[in-house]
Amino acid sequence: LFIDHGSGVIIGETTVIGDNVTLYQGVTLGGTGKEQGKRHPTLEDNVMVSAGAKILGSFTVGDNVNIGANAVVLSDIPENSTVVGIPGKIVRINGEKVTECIKNLNHTILPDPIQEELCELEKKIKQLQERIHCEVCIRKEEMEKKLKEENKEK
């Protein structure tokens, strides 16, 4: 085990660490609070965990795995893989790109929940304005009709 710039590294008590494992600063090998007994991950041989990554739960990270900075890994990772993102996604296995994951990691096209909510509010406002306009038109027609009737009576 090699811990490079070991500040903030957390290793849970039931963690198992294989040979030639490298952990960088801020790595957490922790539990989720949902397990009994073995609560922390098992890292097999030749694993590299980059700065700030969180590996949470009782599962196995296979041989020769690279975990990217600030990744959050929550399930088993097969050997010879590279994992990145939140939650952690496998982007390479045996040096080959895993294309179905890559398209999901394009951070330039992430959804914008605030913009989506504003658009929904804008639609509702338009609907209400149309409804008010219709009500005003109906009331106006009713008032004009009533005025005409009153003028006929005079």
Side-chain angles (χ1 to χ4, degrees):
L1 171 65
F2 175 63
I3 302 175
D4 195 9
H5 302 285
S7 173
V9 172
I10 298 169
I11 301 174
E13 69 176 325
T14 62
T15 300
V16 177
I17 300 176
D19 294 330
N20 195 31
V21 170
T22 301
L23 305 178
Y24 288 93
Q25 67 187 26
V27 166
T28 299
L29 306 176
T32 62
K34 297 176 183 176
E35 293 100 355
Q36 300 280 332
K38 175 132 173 45
R39 305 177 305 282
H40 303 98
T42 297
L43 276 59
E44 294 188 343
D45 299 337
N46 305 308
V47 173
M48 193 263 313
V49 185
S50 297
K54 310 298 179 222
I55 304 173
L56 305 174
S58 180
F59 55 85
T60 300
V61 174
D63 291 332
N64 309 308
V65 168
N66 293 317
I67 298 174
N70 294 310
V72 177
V73 181
L74 301 170
S75 60
D76 287 315
I77 304 299
E79 63 183 27
N80 303 311
S81 299
T82 300
V83 178
V84 298
I86 302 172
K89 301 278 188 204
I90 298 169
V91 294
R92 287 188 185 271
I93 298 177
N94 296 317
E96 300 291 322
K97 287 183 181 180
V98 179
T99 55
E100 62 267 9
C101 290
I102 298 295
K103 63 185 172 194
N104 293 330
L105 293 173
N106 185 347
H107 296 288
T108 62
I109 56 171
L110 289 174
D112 183 350
I114 294 172
Q115 181 63 38
E116 289 172 7
E117 186 63 28
L118 288 173
C119 287
E120 286 300 312
L121 287 171
E122 216 170 54
K123 286 179 191 175
K124 287 179 183 178
I125 288 170
K126 281 186 178 184
Q127 289 173 344
L128 289 170
Q129 285 174 331
E130 288 172 6
R131 191 169 154 192
I132 289 170
H133 179 72
C134 288
E135 288 291 323
V136 167
C137 289
I138 291 170
R139 299 274 187 249
K140 182 180 175 186
E141 287 174 8
E142 288 174 355
M143 288 177 67
E144 287 174 349
K145 187 176 180 182
K146 198 173 189 179
L147 281 172
K148 282 183 182 178
E149 288 176 8
E150 286 176 4
N151 286 338
K152 283 183 182 178
E153 290 175 6
K154 290 183 182 182

